[in-house]
């Protein structure tokens, strides 16, 4: 077996572990899932898993990292497919609404369980802080692109707008997972947030109408 093939096989097994972990976390949540569950889901031996990860927490954080990379790629594709940044933002909100209305449990619930229950642990808090800041910066960059293109004349710094939107979104998502999309009226909340965001961005074409 060539070194190149060995490396490819290693990557395949690593992906199999993450795919299995996603299924386990989506099905059982973070707290109830065990490393044994993930090992059984992969169909691999415990020794193989330990070549990649030592703990359930390491696996979960690797899943989050992969989700982040996938999201970054989807943003790049969406930016290329949409004619304006505002259209891109509208599409992101529509996708989020669809995901929340279809979700019951799933990885997002495991995500909230991991951080909201474990915020007292310094390592988890560090991961959450890092992800939070990265998310704020990511959306601020999208908004800044709209400013650079002349689409937006923001009422405040785009970083502040990004933090506001993140806070509102987190509340909407948390309530949706707690009581369901119908009781939380998720569609109305996201629509209202989008309207509020538009007012903060003071879109010139809106003023011209």
């Amino acid at each position: 077996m060539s070194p190149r093939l060995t490396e490819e096989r290693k990557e395949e097994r690593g992906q199999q572990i993450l795919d299995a972990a996603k299924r386990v976390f989506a099905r059982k949540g973070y707290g109830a899932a065990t490393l044994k569950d993930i090992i059984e889901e992969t169909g691999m031996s415990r020794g193989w898993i330990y070549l990649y990860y030592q703990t359930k927490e390491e696996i979960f954080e690797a899943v989050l990292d992969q989700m982040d990379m996938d999201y970054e790629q989807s943003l790049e594709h969406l930016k290329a497919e949409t004619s304006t940044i505002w259209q891109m933002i509208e599409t992101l909100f529509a996708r989020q609404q669809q995901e929340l209305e279809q979700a019951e449990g799933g990885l997002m619930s495991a995500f909230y369980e991991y951080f909201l229950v474990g915020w007292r642990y310094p390592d988890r808090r560090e991961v959450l802080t890092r992800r939070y800041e990265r998310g704020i910066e990511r959306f601020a960059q999208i908004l800044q692109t709209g400013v650079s293109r002349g689409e937006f004349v923001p009422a405040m710094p785009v970083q502040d707008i990004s933090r506001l939107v993140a806070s509102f979104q987190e509340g909407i998502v948390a309530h949706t997972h707690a009581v369901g999309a119908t009781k939380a009226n998720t569609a109305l909340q996201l629509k209202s947030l989008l309207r509020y965001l538009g007012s903060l961005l003071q879109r010139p074409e809106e003023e011209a109408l």
Side-chain angles (χ1 to χ4, degrees):
M1 184 180 294
S2 68
R4 171 176 159 72
L5 185 59
T6 300
E7 187 63 30
E8 289 178 351
R9 183 56 176 159
K10 180 180 177 182
E11 291 180 5
E12 288 176 5
R13 284 183 177 270
Q15 188 59 53
Q16 287 174 3
I17 294 170
L18 296 184
D19 289 343
K22 289 177 186 177
R23 294 192 295 272
V24 171
F25 289 129
R27 187 168 65 242
K28 303 190 71 171
Y30 180 79
T34 65
L35 185 59
K36 182 174 181 290
D37 292 328
I38 297 172
I39 292 171
E40 290 177 351
E41 186 77 20
T42 64
M44 301 180 194
S45 69
R46 184 176 293 268
W48 265 110
I49 303 299
Y50 283 153
L51 288 176
Y52 295 85
Y53 304 104
Q54 299 297 309
T55 66
K56 175 182 74 170
E57 187 167 4
E58 285 183 14
I59 297 176
F60 190 73
E61 290 178 7
V63 167
L64 294 180
D65 288 341
Q66 186 177 77
M67 290 172 63
D68 281 347
M69 288 190 293
D70 291 343
Y71 185 65
E72 292 282 358
Q73 291 179 355
S74 72
L75 285 180
E76 290 302 316
H77 290 315
L78 183 58
K79 185 183 291 186
E81 293 169 356
T82 51
S83 58
T84 67
I85 295 300
W86 183 250
Q87 184 184 4
M88 178 182 178
I89 292 171
E90 287 181 317
T91 303
L92 288 173
F93 270 68
R95 288 180 179 179
Q96 184 177 38
Q97 177 183 332
Q98 183 178 29
E99 290 170 2
L100 289 173
E101 289 177 341
Q102 293 176 349
E104 184 171 342
L107 279 174
M108 188 57 68
S109 292
F111 171 88
Y112 276 93
E113 184 183 353
Y114 177 72
F115 286 114
L116 294 180
V117 174
W119 64 270
R120 292 184 177 87
Y121 299 98
D123 289 346
R124 286 199 209 179
R125 193 175 186 89
E126 182 180 344
V127 172
L128 177 58
T129 300
R130 187 170 62 248
R131 287 176 55 83
Y132 171 75
E133 293 296 344
R134 189 163 61 229
I136 296 301
E137 183 60 32
R138 180 192 295 134
F139 193 61
Q141 288 176 356
I142 292 173
L143 298 180
Q144 187 57 50
T145 299
V147 173
S148 300
R149 292 181 181 182
E151 288 186 46
F152 309 140
V153 183
M156 62 181 70
V158 292
Q159 286 277 351
D160 292 338
I161 295 176
S162 183
R163 290 185 191 280
L164 275 173
V165 171
S167 294
F168 282 117
Q169 282 182 318
E170 289 298 323
I172 294 170
V173 172
H175 287 160
T176 301
H177 281 279
V179 303
T182 301
K183 285 187 179 296
N185 206 339
T186 301
L188 176 64
Q189 291 200 62
L190 286 174
K191 183 178 180 180
S192 299
L193 177 56
L194 185 62
R195 187 182 303 116
Y196 176 54
L197 174 59
S199 71
L200 291 176
L201 295 175
Q202 300 184 57
R203 299 161 59 213
E205 69 272 19
E206 287 285 313
E207 296 176 3
L209 295 177

